[in-house]
Amino acid sequence: MSSYKTVNPASGETVQEFPSATDAQIQDALKRSHEVFASWRGTPVQERSRILSRVGELYNERKAELAAIITLEMGKPVREAQGEVGLVASIYDYYAKEGPRFLQDEHLDAMGGGEAIVRTEPVGSLVGIMPWNYPYYQVARFAAPNLMLGNTVLLKHAENCPQSALAIEQIFIDAGLPSDAYINIFASKEQIADMIADPRIQGVSLTGSERAGSAVGEVAGRNLKRYVLELGGSDPFIVLDSDDMDATVKAAVAGRMGNAGQACTASKRFIVLEDYYQDFVEKFTARSAALVPGDPSDSATRLGPLSSQQAADSLAEQIDDAVAKGATVHTGGSRVDGPGSYFEPTVLTGVTPDMRAFSEELFGPAAVIYKVGNADEAIELANGSTFGLGGSVFSSDADKAKEVAARLETGMVWVNSVTGTQADLPFGGVKRSGVGRELAKFGMNEFVNKKLIRQPAVKPSKPTS
């Protein structure tokens, strides 16, 4: 039985199953991807740009259709789903416009004179392993810069997003990309490990869990393959002060509850200075409790189901562990009765290091709020995590917030805003949140050959007697 299937998380109903790839099909995909690389890398940059531009146009043209697919497959509220499609269109458009500039030769002032050029060249076929929480966006972060470079892509999507995966592949075909330059594969974990080890593959990019990242990194390292790992996060949201607590809390709840809390960069640990703590907790709890889980296909819904029954069960176990060890639940804390994988918006305080919720990522609509005495304590608590993806610092004094932001051990920090994303800004973390960067010009510098072409100055010949 295939593991690739669409299961509606709002009802628990299995909608459609798709056959997994055979070993022979995997070998054929590897062969085709490797063979097309020679022609794709030689395709003029402006032609690659034109194709990516058309990809972006097709995402916009098919926004309603594409949004409906991810609403069905992983439960994203339709308004958020349409927002994701629009973001994806902007990523392809960005690389279509800026990619040619990023690929221009860099001229160096070399000692000794002469000419020295660094040329940015593709490296070959790449494997992408992508998750379900942002089915189109995660793929775009990887595929757009690498296709613009001239690399080719073999993409294994999450097993619960097969229709999303096929829709992505079809857009590339319809945009005029050579069919083998991007190949969707319904592969197993074992097949992926073999693919990474294959000499025709030059690199792998994974967005997913720490466990998956460790496994992929091990195989890639053993086979001397480049890799980018975008893993989990437990982003701090630090409140130093506030002259408008309602606005601060509105941002905090949006940062935690968007996509039902299923985002690596979601605000997860709210660290509030004691003078503002009680007001923050009360307002955060009230605003969270007002969110009613509902049908994600309804445009009025702001909180959809979790992606699966397993996801809801896992979150319940983490919260039950915290409560059993003394944490306080201010609202929520349980699964919603009935069909589907709905979970109540949840607010916890009194979380201590012996609880799973202190050190583990809570991937769902559950917030943990901490009270600290001063900014130094806030920074110490924020940096005490094994994660280091993103973070937010709020204060009516922007300079003070920037000083704290500079001391956080994260790949990204946003001041007076929740962690966001856009095509022209780098995305990535440190510590156990991953290795490498995506988006902006940095996204085109991971799977490249920075080739030096050097022509030394000609030394004048010595006169003969």
Side-chain angles (χ1 to χ4, degrees):
M1 181 180 295
S2 173
S3 58
Y4 284 86
K5 60 184 69 174
T6 297
V7 179
N8 184 351
S11 65
E13 174 193 5
T14 298
V15 177
Q16 190 174 358
E17 297 190 37
F18 297 80
S20 298
T22 65
D23 289 345
Q25 288 172 328
I26 294 293
Q27 288 300 313
D28 179 63
L30 285 165
K31 178 177 181 290
R32 290 186 287 123
S33 179
H34 178 69
E35 289 179 347
V36 81
F37 170 65
S39 60
W40 178 239
R41 72 173 299 176
T43 300
V45 170
Q46 293 305 323
E47 175 63 8
R48 298 204 296 265
S49 172
R50 185 196 64 78
I51 292 172
L52 285 195
S53 180
R54 182 57 184 150
V55 169
E57 291 173 354
L58 288 173
Y59 271 94
N60 279 325
E61 291 172 11
R62 300 175 185 179
K63 181 177 291 186
E65 170 193 340
L66 294 168
I69 293 173
I70 58 177
T71 295
L72 171 66
E73 291 200 306
M74 54 77 56
K76 192 186 296 288
V78 66
R79 282 179 50 145
E80 292 186 23
Q82 291 178 354
E84 178 179 339
V85 177
L87 172 61
V88 167
S90 75
I91 292 173
Y92 286 106
D93 184 63
Y94 172 80
Y95 281 108
K97 291 177 178 176
E98 301 297 333
R101 179 169 62 89
F102 296 152
L103 292 173
Q104 290 177 357
D105 291 345
E106 180 181 357
H107 293 261
L108 306 179
D109 292 327
M111 293 185 293
E115 185 179 54
I117 297 172
V118 175
R119 181 158 294 169
T120 299
E121 296 184 343
V123 293
S125 296
L126 307 175
V127 171
I129 307 166
M130 297 296 138
W132 48 263
N133 56 334
Y134 289 90
Y136 304 129
Y137 164 67
Q138 308 279 13
V139 173
R141 285 193 332 212
F142 166 61
N146 282 297
L147 290 172
M148 187 65 227
L149 271 166
N151 290 322
T152 56
V153 171
L154 293 139
L155 201 290
K156 180 213 176 298
H157 217 315
E159 294 172 354
N160 60 331
C161 289
Q163 294 189 52
S164 306
L166 293 173
I168 292 169
E169 185 179 48
Q170 189 61 51
I171 282 180
F172 283 124
I173 293 170
D174 293 346
L177 185 74
S179 60
D180 293 338
Y182 180 100
I183 302 174
N184 178 73
I185 46 170
F186 289 151
S188 68
K189 294 180 177 64
E190 294 75 19
Q191 288 171 327
I192 285 294
D194 291 340
M195 290 176 68
I196 296 171
D198 191 288
R200 291 169 290 191
I201 294 299
Q202 301 305 310
V204 57
S205 178
L206 172 135
T207 298
S209 67
E210 290 177 83
R211 192 162 108 185
S214 296
V216 166
E218 180 182 0
V219 176
R222 189 166 61 244
N223 290 280
L224 300 178
K225 303 297 175 71
R226 302 166 187 244
Y227 58 88
V228 169
L229 305 174
E230 298 289 358
L231 309 179
S234 189
D235 288 10
F237 183 111
I238 298 175
V239 180
L240 301 174
D241 59 70
S242 178
D243 54 11
D244 187 349
M245 186 58 77
D246 288 332
T248 299
V249 168
K250 182 179 180 181
V253 172
R256 173 66 284 206
M257 301 299 175
N259 203 36
Q262 300 169 117
C264 298
T265 54
S267 302
K268 298 186 177 82
R269 296 178 296 142
F270 297 87
I271 303 171
V272 186
L273 266 63
E274 55 189 347
D275 289 347
Y276 304 90
Y277 174 80
Q278 193 60 40
D279 192 23
F280 183 90
V281 170
E282 290 174 0
K283 285 183 165 64
F284 190 100
T285 299
R287 185 173 281 273
S288 298
L291 292 171
V292 179
D295 179 359
S297 65
D298 185 338
S299 61
T301 295
R302 295 295 178 269
L303 186 66
L306 295 189
S307 63
S308 66
Q309 301 285 353
Q310 181 181 355
D313 289 342
S314 296
L315 182 61
E317 290 172 2
Q318 292 170 305
I319 292 173
D320 289 347
D321 171 78
V323 172
K325 294 174 181 175
T328 299
V329 177
H330 293 262
T331 188
S334 302
R335 294 187 54 167
V336 177
D337 291 336
S341 50
Y342 291 94
F343 206 97
E344 297 172 337
T346 300
V347 179
L348 297 173
T349 61
V351 171
T352 55
D354 62 322
M355 302 173 188
R356 292 177 58 190
F358 185 88
S359 56
E360 296 180 4
E361 180 179 25
L362 301 181
F363 217 61
V368 179
I369 308 177
Y370 299 93
K371 177 170 64 177
V372 294
N374 53 52
D376 287 339
E377 289 183 15
I379 292 166
E380 182 179 7
L381 179 56
N383 289 344
S385 172
T386 59
F387 296 105
L389 190 52
S392 300
V393 183
F394 276 69
S395 172
S396 55
D397 183 340
D399 289 337
K400 180 167 65 174
K402 290 175 186 176
E403 290 175 4
V404 171
R407 295 170 62 188
L408 294 183
E409 297 169 353
T410 62
M412 305 170 283
V413 190
W414 290 60
V415 173
N416 289 328
S417 172
V418 295
T419 304
T421 183
Q422 56 192 59
D424 59 344
L425 298 177
F427 186 101
V430 295
K431 298 195 281 190
R432 294 189 69 82
S433 286
V435 178
R437 289 295 180 270
E438 295 179 311
L439 297 179
K441 65 179 181 180
F442 307 93
M444 291 187 71
N445 286 327
E446 294 290 350
F447 299 104
V448 297
N449 175 17
K450 291 288 189 177
K451 180 192 287 184
L452 171 67
I453 300 176
R454 173 74 164 127
Q455 181 181 356
V458 178
K459 295 182 180 179
S461 59
K462 295 181 179 180
T464 58
S465 57

